[in-house]
């Protein structure tokens, strides 16, 4: 069955055992700075196939390939267009670059595309694991398909117990939302997924970057919009997202909560510290993600809080929208997806 193994440093013996499992074609879940990943040897199609099976993920959704250092990058070799070099110099970082797929990487990894997602995670345990494995590691987020991404080893266990040999546990992840994905094969380059590296930062390297529309709800079109399913990152309970000024959002959430409670529907409210006085209502499961002035903390706690709502077995989650600067763009994207389009403008 699945073992959760605590790791405290980059030379922990558990890392070498995990690396051996990866070389033998097995799956290992490991921490990154964004979310936990479900890893397999990216050069071994049979091993990669196990990822799709374990997650229940359609083979039309491409995986990200993780490397530990520039040496590994050159050995494969991955080809970085000159325009991407400035951004790539930020690695290790919560940043995935879409580049041309080298022929040694099986097409299963890229869902048949001739491009591949490439990333060097900013986490000492992840880097040590990939280096010890000696091969690039394909890894999606280590959750069941379309469920909320895991920010702790326990989250991975809850979703994938029995289908992964080992989970390296280095505690709660620091960033809490997935990497930003930038397609540098297109001209102009495109932000395919807002994430842990802000658009503002990316723009300083790629001033002409365009933000791709990410509202497709098509489930089987890898060729046009990989991973852009609208219903993604979803908790088991339906979520309604409220957008507007602070006062109106609080009023609307309070009224909706009271309406549901009178109907015997249990309610969770996902909001900010500043909303507590207005929204920490009796009989409601209230979570303050953090202060509106600290979006990094809100991003870090978002997925764990969605999972907490599930554990509390609320029937419906009412969530407030957050400012969209910095980490806010990724927060908005994930909340929109968790809401599956269920947004109320107030
Ligand atoms: O932070 C992260 O990126 C985490 C950690 C584990 O590194 N990984 C992650 O992987 O979020 P995953 O599989 O949950 O999301 C990968 C997404 C795909 O759904 C797709 O949107 C995009 O990356 N992707 C991968 N390869 C692509 C390609 N060749 N072209 C366009 N998009 C691609
Ligand atoms: Mg994912």
């Amino acid at each position: 069955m699945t073992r959760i193994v605590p790791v405290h440093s980059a030379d922990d013996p558990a890392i070498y055992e995990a690396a051996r499992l990866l070389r033998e074609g097995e799956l290992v879940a490991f921490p990154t700075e964004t979310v936990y990943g479900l890893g397999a040897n990216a050069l071994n199609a049979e091993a990669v196939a196990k990822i799709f099976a374990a997650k229940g993920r359609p083979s039309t959704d491409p995986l990200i390939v993780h490397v530990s250092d520039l040496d590994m990058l050159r050995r494969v070799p991955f080809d970085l267009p000159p325009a991407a070099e400035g951004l790539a110099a930020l690695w290790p970082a919560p940043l995935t670059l879409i580049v041309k797929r080298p022929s040694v990487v099986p097409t299963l990894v890229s869902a048949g595309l001739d491009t591949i997602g490439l990333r060097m995670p900013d986490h000492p345990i992840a880097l040590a694991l990939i280096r010890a494995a000696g091969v690039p590691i394909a890894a999606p987020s280590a959750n069941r398909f379309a469920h909320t991404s895991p920010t702790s080893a326990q989250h991975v266990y809850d979703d994938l117990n029995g289908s992964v040999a080992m989970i390296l546990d280095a505690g709660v992840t620091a960033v809490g939302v997935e990497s930003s994905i930038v397609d540098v094969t297109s001209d102009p380059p495109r932000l395919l997924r807002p994430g842990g590296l802000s658009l503002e930062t990316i723009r300083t390297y790629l001033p002409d970057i365009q933000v791709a529309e990410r509202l497709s709800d098509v489930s089987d079109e890898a060729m046009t919009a990989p991973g852009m399913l609208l219903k993604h990152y979803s908790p088991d309970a339906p979520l309604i997202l409220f957008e507007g000024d602070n006062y109106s959002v609080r009023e609307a959430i309070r009224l909706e909560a009271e309406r549901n409670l009178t109907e015997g529907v249990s309610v969770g409210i996902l909001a900010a510290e500043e909303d507590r006085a207005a929204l920490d209502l009796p009989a409601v499961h209230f979570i303050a993600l953090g202060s509106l002035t600290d979006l990094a903390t809100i991003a870090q706690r978002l997925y764990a809080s969605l999972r907490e709502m599930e554990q509390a077995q609320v029937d419906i989650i009412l969530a407030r929208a957050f400012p969209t600067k910095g980490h806010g763009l990724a927060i908005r994207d994930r909340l929109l997806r968790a809401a599956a389009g269920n947004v109320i403008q107030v």
Side-chain angles (χ1 to χ4, degrees), residues 30 32-38 55 57 61-64 66 94-96 98-99 109-110 113-119 121 139-143 149 177-181 183 192-193 214 222 225-228 232-233:
F30 61 96
T32 78
E33 80 281 35
T34 58
V35 300
Y36 276 70
L38 180 63
K55 287 194 52 144
R57 176 172 173 131
D61 198 357
L63 306 177
I64 295 172
H66 298 67
L95 167 72
T96 295
I98 304 297
V99 301
V109 176
S110 66
L113 299 171
D114 57 9
T115 55
I116 195 100
L118 191 60
R119 150 164 151 81
S141 50
N143 51 283
S149 295
V177 291
E178 297 85 344
S179 60
S180 304
I181 303 182
D183 185 351
L192 299 184
R193 177 176 76 183
R214 243 171 75 83
M228 294 194 177
H232 210 129
Y233 314 106

Side-chain angles (χ1 to χ4, degrees), residues 209-282:
I209 188 163
Q210 290 192 344
V211 178
E213 185 64 55
R214 243 171 75 83
L215 288 176
S216 161
D217 61 353
V218 203
S219 61
D220 54 2
E221 281 186 60
M223 299 311 155
T224 56
M228 294 194 177
L229 312 191
L230 186 51
K231 188 165 167 48
H232 210 129
Y233 314 106
S234 298
D236 291 337
L239 182 147
I240 305 177
L241 184 63
F242 292 80
E243 273 195 320
D245 65 82
N246 287 340
Y247 177 79
S248 310
V249 161
R250 286 171 193 144
E251 254 331 88
I253 291 181
R254 192 177 58 76
L255 286 172
E256 185 64 19
E258 281 165 0
R259 197 179 65 74
N260 278 280
L261 289 171
T262 36
E263 287 170 9
V265 175
S266 65
V267 177
I269 293 181
L270 204 57
E273 204 49 67
E274 289 85 340
D275 302 319
R276 190 181 287 278
L279 294 179
D280 192 358
L281 306 166

Side-chain angles (χ1 to χ4, degrees), residues 21-251:
L21 287 169
L22 287 170
R23 278 196 305 273
E24 289 169 354
E26 298 301 325
L27 302 183
V28 170
F30 61 96
T32 78
E33 80 281 35
T34 58
V35 300
Y36 276 70
L38 180 63
N41 178 352
L43 306 182
N44 176 342
E46 255 176 69
V48 170
K50 291 181 186 171
I51 292 178
F52 290 93
K55 287 194 52 144
R57 176 172 173 131
S59 57
T60 49
D61 198 357
L63 306 177
I64 295 172
V65 174
H66 298 67
V67 294
S68 52
D69 47 67
L70 294 177
D71 256 7
M72 183 179 277
L73 201 80
R74 290 192 200 101
R75 254 185 291 140
V76 168
F78 289 103
D79 188 24
L80 281 182
E85 276 168 17
L87 258 188
L90 297 181
W91 277 337
L95 167 72
T96 295
L97 295 177
I98 304 297
V99 301
K100 269 192 279 175
R101 179 179 59 81
S103 56
V104 291
V105 177
T107 53
L108 185 60
V109 176
S110 66
L113 299 171
D114 57 9
T115 55
I116 195 100
L118 191 60
R119 150 164 151 81
M120 195 185 294
D122 189 12
H123 195 292
I125 306 299
L127 293 175
L129 174 67
I130 302 164
R131 194 169 298 127
V135 287
I137 299 298
S141 50
N143 51 283
R144 337 180 227 106
F145 178 65
H147 192 222
T148 308
S149 295
T151 53
S152 74
Q154 185 64 43
H155 295 161
V156 180
Y157 187 85
D158 291 344
D159 274 23
L160 300 176
N161 178 25
S163 39
V164 51
M166 189 173 178
I167 305 170
L168 296 180
D169 180 358
V172 172
T173 59
V175 176
V177 291
E178 297 85 344
S179 60
S180 304
I181 303 182
V182 179
D183 185 351
V184 289
T185 66
S186 66
D187 189 16
R190 294 193 313 151
L191 179 71
L192 299 184
R193 177 176 76 183
L197 188 70
S198 75
L199 176 60
E200 292 88 338
T201 301
I202 297 168
R203 206 170 252 140
T204 62
Y205 296 88
L206 300 173
D208 59 343
I209 188 163
Q210 290 192 344
V211 178
E213 185 64 55
R214 243 171 75 83
L215 288 176
S216 161
D217 61 353
V218 203
S219 61
D220 54 2
E221 281 186 60
M223 299 311 155
T224 56
M228 294 194 177
L229 312 191
L230 186 51
K231 188 165 167 48
H232 210 129
Y233 314 106
S234 298
D236 291 337
L239 182 147
I240 305 177
L241 184 63
F242 292 80
E243 273 195 320
D245 65 82
N246 287 340
Y247 177 79
S248 310
V249 161
R250 286 171 193 144
E251 254 331 88

